[in-house]
Amino acid sequence: DAGVIQSPRHEVTEMGQEVTLRCKPISGHDYLFWYRQTMMRGLELLIYFNNNVPIDDSGMPEDRFSAKMPNASFSTLKIQPSEPRDSAVYFCASSLWSSGNQETQYFGPGTRLLVL
Amino acid sequence: QQQVKQSPQSLIVQKGGISIINCAYENTAFDYFPWYQQFPGKGPALLIAIRPDVSEKKEGRFTISFNKSAKQFSLHIMDSQPGDSATYFCAASSGAGSYQLTFGKGTKLSVIP
């Protein structure tokens, strides 16, 4: 398997522009997570999905952030409008629930976002 | 209540030495404690994990020690190698089927020859 795939790997945009980050989870995984990583705040969970349904979006910082998972193999995280403080590395991760036990989360390589 | 506190923020160890990273938590409902390793430009990857029914887990040169009463757990890297230089994150979650990992702030480990 190719692992979790994220695109783009790098994104530079200007304040006010819409940004869309994409994620393809590992095939067969039923959980998908979006994280944001910054030096100040570390790794923060933004939202996660189970079987394409959003379960907890309490980590989404503002209404400017939205995430969708239209099918089991694709998810997007959208920021509209973007602001300089959104600059961070955004990670997507996926996992497979099994026998009621937590399973490993497999992280993608991340998207490094810079908002000017 | 959801916080996981990790220390030190950075660590420099000589090759062959022991690296020790500590984490403390407050939420007594946490029952799964993984450590993730992250190399520059890469996503975190699971290194080793422990549940509170054991006090220690060893995988190769990596050992997790867990102290339930103190609500602390630590990662020991024996015979540290330059290739171990990375950022290490502890994390915790609670409840079977609950996948909300709360991460520590990370420790940047540098192993010098």
Side-chain angles (χ1 to χ4, degrees):
Chain A
D1 201 316
V4 176
I5 299 172
Q6 291 187 248
S7 64
R9 293 293 312 275
H10 302 273
E11 177 81 24
V12 181
T13 190
E14 292 187 346
M15 182 174 64
Q17 296 298 306
E18 177 179 295
V19 175
T20 299
L21 311 181
R22 297 173 177 79
C23 175
K24 176 178 168 54
I26 293 173
S27 177
H29 281 192
D30 53 1
Y31 279 83
L32 183 138
F33 308 82
W34 281 101
Y35 289 90
R36 178 171 66 176
Q37 185 176 41
T38 61
M39 289 295 292
M40 289 296 294
R41 301 174 68 91
L43 264 168
E44 302 173 278
L45 177 66
L46 300 177
I47 185 172
Y48 76 96
F49 296 82
N50 176 221
N51 292 323
N52 313 337
V53 176
I55 303 301
D56 188 339
D57 65 354
S58 59
M60 297 285 262
E62 300 173 34
D63 290 345
R64 299 184 296 106
F65 287 70
S66 62
K68 294 182 179 180
M69 192 165 185
N71 57 63
S73 60
F74 184 66
S75 177
T76 59
L77 177 67
K78 188 174 293 186
I79 308 173
Q80 166 63 19
S82 58
E83 296 183 3
R85 59 195 169 118
D86 301 331
S87 297
V89 181
Y90 291 82
F91 287 103
C92 175
S94 70
S95 68
L96 176 64
W97 184 88
S98 174
S99 303
N101 292 316
Q102 293 91 340
E103 291 289 344
T104 303
Q105 291 189 21
Y106 295 86
F107 282 75
T111 295
R112 186 172 296 273
L113 173 65
L114 177 62
V115 183
L116 302 174
Chain B
Q1 276 291 68
Q2 294 296 320
Q3 217 173 9
V4 176
K5 295 182 179 179
Q6 184 172 346
S7 63
Q9 194 171 7
S10 62
L11 181 62
I12 299 174
V13 173
Q14 290 273 357
K15 178 182 175 182
I18 302 174
S19 303
I20 301 174
I21 304 171
N22 300 299
C23 283
Y25 62 96
E26 297 176 355
N27 187 348
T28 55
F30 284 150
D31 62 358
Y32 176 68
F33 303 90
W35 284 89
Y36 278 76
Q37 179 188 54
Q38 184 180 26
F39 293 104
K42 305 289 186 182
L46 179 69
L47 185 63
I48 187 173
I50 197 169
R51 300 187 192 279
D53 52 344
V54 296
S55 60
E56 186 175 282
K57 183 173 181 180
K58 184 176 180 179
E59 289 184 4
R61 296 184 294 107
F62 301 90
T63 300
I64 299 180
S65 296
F66 184 79
N67 185 330
K68 188 174 181 178
S69 60
K71 292 185 285 186
Q72 295 175 347
F73 58 110
S74 60
L75 176 69
H76 292 64
I77 306 174
M78 310 300 289
D79 186 26
S80 299
Q81 299 297 312
D84 297 330
S85 298
T87 299
Y88 293 81
F89 295 91
C90 62
S93 67
S94 62
S98 170
Y99 288 85
Q100 296 192 62
L101 283 174
T102 300
F103 282 88
K105 289 288 182 67
T107 297
K108 185 174 182 180
L109 171 65
S110 299
V111 181
I112 55 176

